[in-house]
Amino acid sequence: MRTLKYAILGLINRESMTGYDLMKVFNMELVNFWYAKHSQIYPELKKLTDEKLITYEILPEDEKLRKKIYSITEKGRQEFHNWILQQDLLEPTPKDIFRLKAYFIESLSNAKILNHFHYQLTQRQEKLEKLQNNMQILLDSKDISKIQSPEYGDYIVLKSAIKREKSYIEWLNECIEEVTTNTRIFVDERRP
C-alpha cells in the first residue's frame, strides 16, 4: 500500500497546497509519526495527478517560477475516505538503531554503556521539550474542542508523541540506574 499517497490526500483534503507546503507540513507536523522526503513527495504528486485523485492549478510567482496548487478531486476524496475507514493490522515494530545497539551491549564497558545511554537520554529530553512546547503552542492558538477538526487530530497525535518520549525516557533512566547500581529493575506487569 502506498501510505504516502493517503498522507498527501489527507493533507490536500484539508486544504489546497503546493508541494512546498506539503513538505513543510511533513517536516513540522507529521514528523512526530511519519516522514517523507522531497524526493518522495513530488513523484507521488505526479502519480496522484495521473490517477485523477488530485488536480493542480498553475499560478505564476514571477517571470521564471510557477507554482502548482494541488486540490483533491471527488474521486480522491472518496478513495481517502475509504482508506480512513479500513481497519489496520498492527504494524511491525519500527526500527530503532539505539535499541539495536543496546541489544548487543555486552561488548561495551559500563562507562561506555552509560555514555551511550546518557547521550540518548539528552536527545530524548530535548525532543520531549520540543513536543511539549509544540503542544503549548497548539493549545494556545487552536480550538481542539471539536473532535471532527484537523486541530483535534493534531492534538491527539502530538499527545501520543509526548507519551512515547516520556516512556522512552523512563526506560533510559531505568537502564542507567541498573548499570550504575548493578541491580535489575523489572516490574512484572502480569501481577496485580
Side-chain angles (χ1 to χ4, degrees):
M1 181 193 322
R2 291 172 20 219
T3 308
L4 178 59
K5 164 186 179 175
Y6 297 105
I8 291 173
L9 284 175
L11 291 172
I12 294 174
N13 188 52
R14 284 184 172 182
E15 66 180 298
S16 297
M17 298 179 148
T18 65
Y20 177 74
D21 294 333
L22 284 165
M23 205 56 236
K24 284 193 323 190
V25 174
F26 271 99
N27 289 335
M28 297 175 70
E29 295 178 26
L30 300 184
V31 72
N32 294 313
F33 62 95
W34 200 265
Y35 65 91
K37 298 175 190 166
H38 179 273
S39 61
Q40 295 172 296
I41 290 176
Y42 285 94
E44 190 62 39
L45 286 169
K46 169 119 178 57
K47 288 178 192 173
L48 293 171
T49 303
D50 292 345
E51 294 168 358
K52 304 201 181 327
L53 300 175
I54 61 173
T55 60
Y56 63 86
E57 178 183 352
I58 298 177
L59 299 177
E61 203 165 275
D62 62 33
E63 289 180 21
K64 295 179 186 174
L65 293 175
R66 302 178 326 180
K67 65 178 172 180
K68 294 179 181 178
I69 305 286
Y70 294 92
S71 301
I72 196 165
T73 64
E74 191 53 44
K75 179 181 176 185
R77 191 171 283 108
Q78 186 60 50
E79 192 157 329
F80 174 70
H81 183 74
N82 291 341
W83 174 76
I84 287 278
L85 292 174
Q86 290 176 2
Q87 297 293 327
D88 298 312
L89 297 174
L90 186 62
E91 289 284 321
T93 302
K95 294 177 183 175
D96 184 330
I97 295 170
F98 178 74
R99 288 186 196 217
L100 179 61
K101 289 179 179 183
Y103 183 78
F104 298 109
I105 206 162
E106 73 274 6
S107 58
L108 297 176
S109 68
N110 281 9
K112 288 183 179 176
I113 291 169
L114 289 171
N115 185 18
H116 276 299
F117 275 89
H118 281 293
Y119 178 73
Q120 188 70 204
L121 180 61
T122 300
Q123 287 186 304
R124 293 292 176 161
Q125 288 169 329
E126 289 171 1
K127 187 172 184 178
L128 176 60
E129 184 178 341
K130 189 180 209 179
L131 291 169
Q132 289 171 326
N133 288 338
N134 289 347
M135 178 63 87
Q136 194 58 54
I137 291 167
L138 177 70
L139 294 174
D140 290 345
S141 63
K142 306 283 183 182
D143 177 11
I144 62 165
S145 63
K146 186 176 177 198
I147 290 177
Q148 281 78 24
S149 70
E151 292 78 16
Y152 185 74
D154 294 346
Y155 164 73
I156 61 173
V157 169
L158 188 53
K159 183 167 76 167
S160 171
I162 289 169
K163 287 179 177 280
R164 179 194 65 223
E165 291 308 315
K166 284 181 175 181
S167 176
Y168 208 111
I169 288 168
E170 179 184 358
W171 172 72
L172 288 167
N173 281 322
E174 285 180 4
C175 291
I176 290 167
E177 185 177 343
E178 288 184 357
V179 172
T180 302
T181 64
N182 197 28
T183 58
R184 304 303 151 252
I185 304 167
F186 180 75
V187 178
D188 189 346
E189 299 290 338
R190 297 172 295 172
R191 294 186 186 171

